[in-house]
């Protein structure tokens, strides 16, 4: 949460900083601010609200300088006000900082600093004053000394008004990437703002401090030892991070799915052996055979993709598999043995809860692997192997294509484990073929968007709804419900179809519709009965059904048809109409679908 950005070079800093803030806006959009150094003066501008507000203010002022920092905020400490917007200055006005993270011992540090008149309610302002306290002419040393006293998480970029040729950046728990240009450096919370300028990057690790000057970069650890860092190449391009004519990122990302799904499975299916091969697993066949338990750790949408994986691991490989919400896993002393395989599933690879849970699993001796989208992210680097999902940049706060690709990779892993155990070549072959048919089927769902839009308009004014599914369609119900609530703000809940009669059915009435995912699988008849119970309470019913199922019209008020596939693979298709449904409802209600209220894309605080 919060996006930070910085520039040092020979160009004007403002265009890059502003464009970078727009790219990082998904990380938080309560308020924003920017500081550039012009000679030895700090120029500062701040606004409450989205980046457009800051851009408006910038138009009305001269804002020059070729070194600068900027920030887009997701409030943690202190309300959404101009005073709390970053950058924050030291009381003497000499040092300025942008910060992403939380300083846990801020009270202690405030006491340590004594009598200072603070302008904001933020922990970040205490941190910049702490740096000023230690400043004796060397900004990096001052930052290092301050950070030695800090407990918590931070990604920071700091400037001193008398040091117009250097920035200092540091990270602990909050991501920071440095883009390497020709005589210039770009700093950002993730690589997307850099893509238009360079694909050469240095990923800062926890506990590292970088002194970034116009022509060089030097990195140190907190013990003041110099570290040699590799410059890495990233293969995402700027175009992938553009809207490409779509009204917003969410719609573009929904439509990306057939293409990026192909990227996820490319080269990973071996039809001859009727299996999948994910080299990044980094386990010997003997180690794989010994795995007797799998734990999938994730949050939000990623946890629903993990549920897709659970069903597949159990069915195809016969390995008991649990899905653990990361924030719960860590604090309940989970049981881990040396044959437990833990996957961290995460789009950003930076979710604080997931990172902490994976560290705990590692400490306890599990094999820990990542299923991650963002290349070079913390989870990708801290795990001992794993797989990139190749969804490309996902910038809308509501996750869509990452869900699909995470599910796809988990299905591939389940197939790989299955085939190394009990799964027959015939079933393996059927799964491989079904996986390869998915993109075309996805496209046919997307081609039906107009019909889905029409249905969305019928459902947009309800205040509540349920999503129901069973078996493979239960994770679909969970994900459909989350999508709807996060971008439309309509209250929705999801249940396994069979659970309704144990309580939730009490809520049903004619103004409480039910969306049932009821494709033709082994639980179809059971779902039929569950939906009949719903109908008996006069609820309107929208059913996601398999093409050709005419009978379902007897039960449904509205139907969205999807193509048939193998049961375990159904989430790869059945989630798409629900993404579109949520999208069109949210648009009809006038919501900002890419940046829904109160949310941030990358949740880097616990
Ligand atoms: O980056 P991650 O996949 O680890 O993020 C996990 C959740 O925060 C994320 O899926 C969240 O639930 C999204 N807003 C869902 O659309």
């Amino acid at each position: 949460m919060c996006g930070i950005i910085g520039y040092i070079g020979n160009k004007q800093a403002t265009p890059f900083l502003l464009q970078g803030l727009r790219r990082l806006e998904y990380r938080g959009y309560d308020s924003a601010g920017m500081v550039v150094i012009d000679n030895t003066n700090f120029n500062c501008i701040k606004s409450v609200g989205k980046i457009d507000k800051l851009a408006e203010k910038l138009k009305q002022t001269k804002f020059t300088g070729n070194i600068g920092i900027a920030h887009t905020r997701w409030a943690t400490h202190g309300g959404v006000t101009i005073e709390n917007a970053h950058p924050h200055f030291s009381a003497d006005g000499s040092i300025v900082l942008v910060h992403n993270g939380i300083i846990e011992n801020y009270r202690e540090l405030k006491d340590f600093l004594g009598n200072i008149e603070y302008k904001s309610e933020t922990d970040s302002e205490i941190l910049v004053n702490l740096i000023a306290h230690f400043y004796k002419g060397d900004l990096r040393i001052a930052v290092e000394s301050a950070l030695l006293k800090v407990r918590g998480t931070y990604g920071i970029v700091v400037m001193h008004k008398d040091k117009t040729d250097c920035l200092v950046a540091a990270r602990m728990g909050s991501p920071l990437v440095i883009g390497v240009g020709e005589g210039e450096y770009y700093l950002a919370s993730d690589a997307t703002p850099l893509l238009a300028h360079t694909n050469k990057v240095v990923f800062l690790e926890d506990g590292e401090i970088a002194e970034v000057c116009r022509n060089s970069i030097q990195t140190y650890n907190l013990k003041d030892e110099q570290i040699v860092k590799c410059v890495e190449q990233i293969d995402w391009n700027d175009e992938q991070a553009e809207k490409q004519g779509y009204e917003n990122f969410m719609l573009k990302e929904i439509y990306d799915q057939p293409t990026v799904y192909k990227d996820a499975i490319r080269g990973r299916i071996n039809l001859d052996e009727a299996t999948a091969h994910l080299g990044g697993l980094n386990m010997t066949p003997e180690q794989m055979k010994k795995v007797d338990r799998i734990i999938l750790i994730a949050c939000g949408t990623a946890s629903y993709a993990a549920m897709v994986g659970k069903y597949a691991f159990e069915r195809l490989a016969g390995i008991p598999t649990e899905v653990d919400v990361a924030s719960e896993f860590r604090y309940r002393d989970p049981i881990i043995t040396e044959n437990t395989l833990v996957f961290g599933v995460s789009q950003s690879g930076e979710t604080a809860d997931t990172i902490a849970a994976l560290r705990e699993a590692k400490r306890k001796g599990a094999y820990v692997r990542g299923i991650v989208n963002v290349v070079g992210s913390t989870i990708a680097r801290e795990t001992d192997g794993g797989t990139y999902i190749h969804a490309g940049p996902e910038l809308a706060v509501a996750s869509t294509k990452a869900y699909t690709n995470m599910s796809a990779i988990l299905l591939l892993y389940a197939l790989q484990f299955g085939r190394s155990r009990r799964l027959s070549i015939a079933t393996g072959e059927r799964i491989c073929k079904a996986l390869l048919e998915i993109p075309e089927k996805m496209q046919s769902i997307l081609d039906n968007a107009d019909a889905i839009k029409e249905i969305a308009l019928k459902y947009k004014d309800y205040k509540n709804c349920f999503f129901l599914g069973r078996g493979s369609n239960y994770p679909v119900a969970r994900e459909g419900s989350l999508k709807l609530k996060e971008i439309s703000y309509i209250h929705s809940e999801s249940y396994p179809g069979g659970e309704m009669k144990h309580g939730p059915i009490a809520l049903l009435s004619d103004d409480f519709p039910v969306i049932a995912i009821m494709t033709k699988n082994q639980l179809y008849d059971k779902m039929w009965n569950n939906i009949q119970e719903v109908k008996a309470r006069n609820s309107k019913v929208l059913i996601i059904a398999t093409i050709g199922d005419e009978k379902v019209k007897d039960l449904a008020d509205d139907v969205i048809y999807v193509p048939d596939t193998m049961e375990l693979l159904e989430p790869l298709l059945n989630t798409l109409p629900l993404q579109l449904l949520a999208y069109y409802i949210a648009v009809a209600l006038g919501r900002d679908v890419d940046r829904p209220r109160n949310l941030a894309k990358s949740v880097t605080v616990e």
Side-chain angles (χ1 to χ4, degrees):
M1 353 271 288
C2 300
I4 58 178
I5 186 120
Y7 175 81
I8 179 165
N10 300 316
K11 298 186 199 127
Q12 285 300 319
T14 314
F16 168 72
L17 295 178
L18 186 62
Q19 199 205 3
L21 284 181
R22 290 194 192 282
R23 281 284 158 80
L24 294 177
E25 198 172 15
Y26 72 85
R27 300 178 64 87
Y29 30 80
D30 294 334
S31 58
M34 185 186 291
V35 166
V36 294
I37 304 182
D38 188 7
N39 294 319
T40 57
N41 296 322
F42 283 140
N43 280 336
C44 176
I45 194 158
K46 294 185 185 185
S47 67
V48 167
K50 298 187 175 151
I51 306 299
D52 284 344
K53 294 264 174 61
L54 190 78
E56 273 309 309
K57 275 194 167 179
L58 271 168
K59 275 190 203 152
Q60 293 151 25
T61 169
K62 189 168 161 278
F63 216 71
T64 54
N66 46 30
I67 168 169
I69 55 179
H71 186 275
T72 179
R73 181 166 186 249
W74 187 84
T76 52
H77 281 236
V80 179
T81 60
I82 284 278
E83 291 72 28
N84 289 336
H86 293 227
H88 288 290
F89 292 88
S90 58
D92 65 1
S94 63
I95 299 181
V96 63
L97 144 153
V98 285
H99 169 218
N100 167 29
I102 294 182
I103 306 302
E104 284 165 11
N105 58 337
Y106 72 97
R107 280 193 207 89
E108 200 181 288
L109 297 173
K110 201 170 181 181
D111 290 347
F112 169 80
L113 287 169
N115 207 7
I116 289 180
E117 207 176 303
Y118 291 97
K119 297 188 178 65
S120 76
E121 305 156 288
T122 65
D123 50 349
S124 312
E125 194 185 0
I126 297 170
L127 178 56
V128 70
N129 277 290
L130 191 65
I131 295 169
H133 171 87
F134 286 109
Y135 183 74
K136 303 274 177 302
D138 186 326
L139 186 59
R140 179 183 61 80
I141 298 285
V143 170
E144 200 174 293
S145 311
L147 294 180
L148 284 172
K149 290 188 84 65
V150 161
R151 252 193 351 266
T153 55
Y154 51 81
I156 53 170
V157 188
V158 190
M159 297 194 299
H160 192 290
K161 74 178 173 52
D162 299 333
K163 305 270 166 194
T164 55
D165 52 2
C166 269
L167 293 165
V168 174
R171 121 163 220 173
M172 181 69 77
S174 301
L176 204 48
V177 187
I178 303 170
V180 181
E182 297 287 326
E184 56 189 353
Y185 290 95
Y186 309 88
L187 297 94
S189 298
D190 76 38
T192 48
L194 318 177
L195 298 172
H197 307 272
T198 180
N199 63 354
K200 293 194 202 115
V201 297
V202 173
F203 292 105
L204 274 197
E205 303 284 344
D206 280 353
E208 289 181 352
I209 302 180
E211 190 170 45
V212 187
C213 303
R214 281 175 215 280
N215 286 309
S216 67
I217 165 173
Q218 292 192 315
T219 318
Y220 299 81
N221 62 21
L222 286 171
K223 292 187 205 139
D224 202 29
E225 294 159 340
Q226 199 165 347
I227 304 164
V228 180
K229 300 283 295 177
C230 295
V231 176
E232 297 178 40
Q233 191 126 339
I234 38 176
D235 56 9
W236 285 2
N237 61 45
D238 192 39
E239 207 197 329
Q240 289 173 301
E242 296 285 355
K243 286 187 201 153
Q244 293 169 9
Y246 287 94
E247 225 159 280
N248 43 50
F249 281 112
M250 184 177 175
L251 192 62
K252 180 217 167 229
E253 288 159 8
I254 291 173
Y255 275 87
D256 274 351
Q257 288 174 110
T259 307
V260 299
Y261 169 86
K262 284 187 209 156
D263 295 339
I265 64 167
R266 183 170 300 118
R268 289 168 168 171
I269 290 180
N270 179 341
L271 257 180
D272 293 340
E273 293 177 20
T275 188
H277 182 70
L278 294 151
L281 182 62
N282 259 348
M283 290 173 81
T284 63
E286 292 67 39
Q287 288 171 326
M288 278 178 72
K289 278 205 175 78
K290 282 193 192 147
V291 169
D292 57 11
R293 191 154 155 254
I294 293 176
I295 305 178
L296 305 169
I297 295 176
C299 304
T301 286
S303 74
Y304 304 141
M307 283 168 69
V308 176
K310 169 188 161 72
Y311 293 173
F313 276 118
E314 294 190 337
R315 184 92 65 89
L316 303 181
I319 306 174
T321 303
E322 293 153 46
V323 175
D324 242 302
V325 168
S327 52
E328 286 297 309
F329 176 87
R330 185 180 173 200
Y331 293 106
R332 65 173 172 72
D333 209 5
I335 297 156
I336 300 269
T337 69
E338 55 181 8
N339 294 322
T340 305
L341 169 59
V342 171
F343 282 105
V345 188
S346 172
Q347 188 286 128
S348 62
E350 301 293 350
T351 301
D353 288 324
T354 310
I355 294 171
L358 294 179
R359 286 180 183 155
E360 180 63 13
K362 211 169 185 181
R363 246 190 310 273
K364 290 196 145 90
Y367 296 104
V368 178
R369 304 292 183 259
I371 295 178
V372 168
N373 191 34
V374 176
V375 177
S377 56
T378 302
I379 293 178
R381 282 177 293 113
E382 285 194 9
T383 44
D384 303 315
T387 302
Y388 283 121
I389 65 168
H390 295 322
E394 191 184 66
L395 299 176
V397 165
S399 185
T400 52
K401 59 179 179 172
Y403 164 88
T404 302
N405 277 18
M406 286 165 183
S407 306
I409 295 302
L410 284 159
L411 287 161
L412 292 183
Y413 267 124
L415 175 61
Q416 183 172 345
F417 270 89
R419 287 287 293 129
S420 72
R421 294 174 177 223
R422 61 179 195 176
L423 196 71
S424 70
I425 191 155
T427 312
E429 223 168 63
R430 274 203 314 128
I431 296 169
C432 289
K433 286 192 178 142
L435 282 165
L436 292 168
E437 285 166 6
I438 291 292
E440 214 174 301
K441 295 182 175 180
M442 282 177 170
Q443 192 57 52
S444 74
I445 295 171
L446 299 175
D447 291 345
N448 190 31
D450 285 346
I452 298 173
K453 185 175 179 180
E454 231 169 82
I455 291 174
L457 298 181
K458 291 201 212 167
Y459 286 77
K460 74 175 178 30
D461 293 321
Y462 288 102
K463 300 283 173 268
N464 304 284
C465 73
F466 280 150
F467 283 75
L468 304 181
R470 298 183 73 139
S472 291
N473 280 328
Y474 176 48
V476 178
R478 306 279 337 239
E479 176 57 6
S481 170
L482 179 64
K483 267 324 60 105
L484 182 69
K485 74 177 82 139
E486 69 180 336
I487 62 167
S488 74
Y489 319 146
I490 292 174
H491 169 237
S492 93
E493 293 184 43
S494 49
Y495 288 99
E499 264 299 291
M500 286 296 284
K501 55 189 176 292
H502 299 289
I505 202 165
L507 290 170
L508 291 184
S509 66
D510 58 3
D511 63 354
F512 202 124
V514 166
I515 296 155
I517 303 95
M518 207 177 127
T519 37
K520 280 274 184 164
N521 59 32
Q522 53 162 343
L523 291 164
Y524 180 83
D525 291 338
K526 302 274 175 216
M527 263 305 270
W528 184 279
N529 295 336
N530 299 146
I531 300 307
Q532 249 171 349
E533 291 154 12
V534 166
K535 284 296 315 166
R537 272 81 195 170
N538 297 323
S539 289
K540 208 166 176 186
V541 177
L542 163 59
I543 295 185
I544 310 298
T546 307
I547 292 174
D549 181 3
E550 291 300 317
K551 192 177 116 200
V552 83
K553 289 182 179 160
D554 297 346
L555 204 53
D557 294 280
D558 294 285
V559 185
I560 299 174
Y561 283 110
V562 291
D564 191 22
T565 185
M566 288 179 79
E567 187 172 339
L568 282 174
L569 274 51
E570 284 181 332
L572 298 175
L573 298 178
N574 299 356
T575 313
L576 271 59
L578 301 184
Q579 295 168 346
L580 285 169
L581 185 75
Y583 173 81
Y584 286 121
I585 290 179
V587 169
L589 293 173
R591 311 294 190 225
D592 183 345
V593 287
D594 278 349
R595 295 161 299 183
R597 70 183 182 203
N598 304 340
L599 297 178
K601 178 79 179 160
S602 190
V603 187
T604 55
V605 293
E606 261 193 77

